[in-house]
Amino acid sequence: MRPLIQRLGYLVVDAIDPHAAARDTVNIVGARIVEEGPDSVALSSNQRHAELIIRKGTANALVRCGLEATSAAAVEQVRANCEAAGLRILSTEPSLPGIEAAVTFATSEGHVFEVHTPMSADRPARYHGPGAHPRALDHVNFTAVDPRAWADEMQAACGLLLSERTTGYELAWLRAADGRHHTVAVVKSHSPGIHHMSWEFPSFDDFKNLADALIPDARKLTWGPGRHGAGDNLFLYFADSADFLIECVAEMEVIDDEAAPVRISAAGENLSNWRVVNQWGALPPTEWVEHHSPLAALAEDRAA
């Protein structure tokens, strides 16, 4: 079955200081602010109306992930699939301007996804500003207590294809209709949430400027640069001011065959299989392995 999702749509997060997190995204990543108010900031790196929305919240947490559907009919099919799979439908109304049709559902662990028709492309393609100017917000890696069940639900609801997984489902990567190795991924954790969000860049040459942009604030990379085995993409990671883990990627593998077999490999103790995590050899540090930002609803429950 062809995936019902074309690509990543957008991401909404809460931050205690949304304006500081937005400045990081501008000064380091190179996206631009397209809308700003007292309690929220919207950013985009291309013509899409918004890719990352940062709201003021009581905790730094994941609110919702948008997934762009292949068609309006695909949105309706996702709704039907969610009902058949017993997943909770939260809304059938678009949450953002510039979206014509949408359905919002929650996984059994509470991750919220809005599957939507393409957002309006009403921003200029080129813009002034610092940073390397990424192509797009390209994928999100989530955390789940039961990654296998999470991956099964995302396949059942959205028709996503499993590209690769580790033998014990410690990690799993799922692709959309655009064929990129993963649009969403999941890693086993003590609690559901987000592990990292990722921006795609044209070239490895951009990574030097990304890393140099951390120096004025006396900050450092979390991991990288390197080349992942899963996805074969170049990578580097840093934590922003809201402690969201940010990946910067280039050269993500594209799998054109929708019937391609799932790749399965051993993760190794503490993700020590360098062929999977980093073909250049340097293994992920503890702060990368254990990183976790919670779901907004769970964070709010704990604060209550």
Side-chain angles (χ1 to χ4, degrees):
M1 180 180 71
R2 187 172 189 268
L4 300 169
I5 305 303
Q6 180 64 30
R7 62 180 181 177
L8 185 70
Y10 68 86
L11 197 65
V12 180
V13 298
D14 279 351
I16 296 171
D17 187 343
H19 300 283
R23 285 195 299 272
D24 272 359
T25 309
V26 171
N27 293 332
I28 300 170
V29 172
R32 71 189 185 282
I33 293 173
V34 293
E35 294 178 3
E36 186 170 14
D39 297 323
S40 67
V41 186
L43 302 103
S44 181
S45 66
N46 50 49
Q47 292 177 286
R48 277 187 276 183
H49 185 77
E51 292 183 282
L52 176 62
I53 299 167
I54 309 172
R55 313 183 319 186
K56 185 172 181 58
T58 57
N60 302 318
L62 170 67
V63 177
R64 181 175 70 253
C65 178
L67 298 174
E68 182 181 306
T70 56
S71 66
V75 172
E76 178 57 27
Q77 186 60 55
V78 169
R79 184 198 62 77
N81 290 351
C82 288
E83 290 180 346
L87 297 176
R88 185 162 50 107
I89 294 175
L90 305 178
S91 175
T92 55
E93 297 295 325
S95 67
L96 297 173
I99 293 174
E100 293 184 359
V103 60
T104 301
F105 71 93
T107 68
S108 59
E109 293 198 25
H111 303 85
V112 176
F113 290 92
E114 181 178 36
V115 176
H116 58 87
T117 51
M119 186 181 295
S120 56
D122 55 6
R123 305 298 186 187
R126 295 174 179 82
Y127 54 93
H128 295 295
H133 292 199
R135 287 175 171 167
L137 187 68
D138 78 294
H139 76 261
V140 182
N141 189 312
F142 300 90
T143 62
V145 176
D146 188 343
R148 182 169 190 167
W150 188 95
D152 287 346
E153 289 174 359
M154 294 303 292
Q155 290 175 86
C158 301
L160 293 169
L161 302 175
L162 185 62
S163 297
E164 192 163 351
R165 67 171 177 84
T166 55
T167 49
Y169 267 92
E170 300 89 353
L171 290 154
W173 298 266
L174 295 92
R175 68 186 184 278
D178 63 3
R180 292 170 58 85
H181 180 273
H182 54 285
T183 293
V184 299
V186 63
V187 59
K188 186 174 179 59
S189 182
H190 57 82
S191 181
I194 181 174
H195 184 267
H196 67 262
M197 67 183 83
S198 170
W199 296 88
E200 181 193 15
F201 289 84
S203 167
F204 182 70
D205 293 340
D206 296 315
F207 286 17
K208 180 174 81 71
N209 291 333
L210 286 160
D212 282 347
L214 297 170
I215 295 173
D217 295 327
R219 294 157 66 183
K220 61 184 180 65
L221 296 173
T222 303
W223 185 29
R227 184 182 287 277
H228 285 314
D232 199 40
N233 57 284
L234 299 163
F235 72 85
L236 61 75
Y237 294 85
F238 71 93
D240 72 6
S241 62
D243 201 36
F244 290 113
L245 190 60
I246 310 299
E247 182 182 16
C248 303
V249 306
E251 300 182 8
M252 175 74 77
E253 176 187 10
V254 175
I255 302 173
D256 292 323
D257 183 3
E258 292 178 2
V262 178
R263 301 171 193 161
I264 303 174
S265 56
E269 185 176 359
N270 295 322
L271 302 182
S272 59
N273 184 349
W274 60 271
R275 292 178 178 84
V276 174
V277 296
N278 184 8
Q279 297 177 84
W280 292 357
L283 298 178
T286 301
E287 57 263 40
W288 188 95
V289 174
E290 296 180 353
H291 194 89
H292 168 267
S293 297
L295 300 178
L298 296 181
E300 290 166 2
D301 289 345
R302 285 196 293 269

